Amino acid sequence: MLNSAAVQRPPWVVGNWKMNGGLSDNEALLSGLLGLLEAHGGGRIAQCAVAVPAPYLFQSMVRLSGHSIGWGGQDVSAEPAGAFTGEVSVSMLRDFEAQFSIVGHSERRTRHAETDAVIAAKAVALADSGLVPLICVGESIQVRDSGKAVESVCQQVQRVAQALQSKALLGKAVFAYEPIWAIGTGRSATPEQAQEMHAAIRRTLSEIDAKAAAQIRLLYGGSVKAASAAALAAQPDVDGALVGGASLEAKEFFDIACAMSGQ
Ligand code: PGA
């Protein structure tokens, strides 16, 4: 039986490939995933998608159209077009039928100095064009050790959520809680830590729009593996996962999607 949260917020599992892959590796990974899904038949599995490097959006569109795996970008510009060397616009993502893009990943916040204001503008640009903004938030280990993790993460959520709400777009958002200390470290947050933060994020969202907050999916990310996915998914406010390293292996990613199916 699906619980009521799973009916209202069908679980979503997104693979963040980061700057990995290549034409032939991607082909092997995607055909492996499609093969596993086909063999699985009608078995229960969370909705899956992959966030691919921009040069491989075309390959993803060709390979995944007509199948149940979605695809999207890892970042996007808030600007529609123009002199922004190296950037990718929302309409370029749309050209390749992307359904979403990650924004505000901690690797971009730290390495590219992205602020909440920049991330909010990107999220609005996506949602305004009908794409899902998958907005990452999270705290460093120093912030967690200082006891300010909830305050810091909820402030990130609030800034982006308010920008979306001012354009009546909040309901289109998905948030991913990714503690920076858990990303790529093999040290996932415990299910209790994830639930505590997800509940706080949902409270923050409900102060802005209670109806939207009940429907917005909150993914957990940070060293998610098949072995840890079911315990995370059992938390009432965990509605899926954003998966980095483990999304590069078809079987592991598939097993995570099965474990996250809300059964
Ligand atoms: P990880 O990455 O699963 O390798 O920890 C998650 C992410 O950065 O999205």
Side-chain angles (χ1 to χ4, degrees):
M1 264 284 278
L2 287 172
N3 61 35
S4 60
V7 172
Q8 196 171 18
R9 304 187 298 268
W12 195 31
V13 175
V14 179
N16 175 9
W17 289 0
K18 308 194 180 186
M19 198 173 72
N20 292 296
L23 282 176
S24 61
D25 285 350
N26 303 346
E27 170 54 31
L29 179 52
L30 293 176
S31 61
L33 260 179
L34 291 169
L36 286 162
L37 281 173
E38 207 167 290
H40 194 59
R44 188 169 294 153
I45 184 162
Q47 290 171 4
C48 303
V50 287
V52 305
Y56 303 120
L57 284 164
F58 180 71
Q59 181 185 26
S60 305
M61 177 179 72
V62 169
R63 202 62 185 81
L64 297 176
S65 289
H67 295 282
S68 58
I69 305 174
W71 63 96
Q74 297 177 3
D75 184 41
V76 73
S77 173
E79 304 293 340
F84 302 101
T85 302
E87 298 284 301
V88 169
S89 69
V90 173
S91 68
M92 291 172 187
L93 294 182
R94 280 173 60 108
D95 270 348
F96 298 103
E97 297 172 15
Q99 300 98 48
F100 71 96
S101 179
I102 296 173
V103 292
H105 191 281
S106 64
E107 286 150 19
R108 296 208 59 88
R109 286 179 188 259
T110 52
R111 299 182 71 100
H112 301 268
E114 290 193 8
T115 61
D116 290 325
V118 166
I119 293 156
K122 292 177 176 197
V124 167
L126 284 162
D128 208 25
S129 287
L131 275 77
V132 173
L134 173 45
I135 304 145
C136 298
V137 293
E139 82 285 3
S140 65
I141 193 64
Q142 292 80 4
V143 170
R144 176 149 288 261
D145 288 346
S146 75
K148 296 209 156 86
V150 168
E151 188 186 320
S152 159
V153 168
C154 290
Q155 194 171 68
Q156 293 167 35
V157 169
Q158 198 179 35
R159 288 183 181 140
V160 181
Q162 269 164 349
L164 286 163
Q165 182 69 0
S166 70
K167 308 257 173 168
L169 293 168
L170 180 57
K172 315 258 182 234
V174 174
F175 285 83
Y177 168 53
E178 296 207 306
I180 298 169
W181 45 270
I183 295 175
T185 59
R187 181 187 162 199
S188 168
T190 64
E192 295 72 26
Q193 284 172 320
Q195 172 56 27
E196 183 199 18
M197 188 63 81
H198 284 219
I201 293 172
R202 204 176 301 287
R203 270 198 305 281
T204 302
L205 293 171
S206 69
E207 283 159 15
I208 298 171
D209 182 339
K211 188 158 170 269
Q215 285 164 2
I216 290 175
R217 289 186 284 192
L218 305 180
L219 314 187
Y220 168 78
S223 296
V224 175
K225 302 276 182 297
S228 58
L232 287 162
Q235 302 302 313
D237 288 295
V238 175
D239 310 313
L242 181 55
V243 185
S247 73
L248 299 174
E249 285 171 54
K251 180 68 167 70
E252 185 72 12
F253 186 61
F254 171 81
D255 286 346
I256 292 170
C258 290
M260 280 275 166
S261 69
Q263 293 176 78

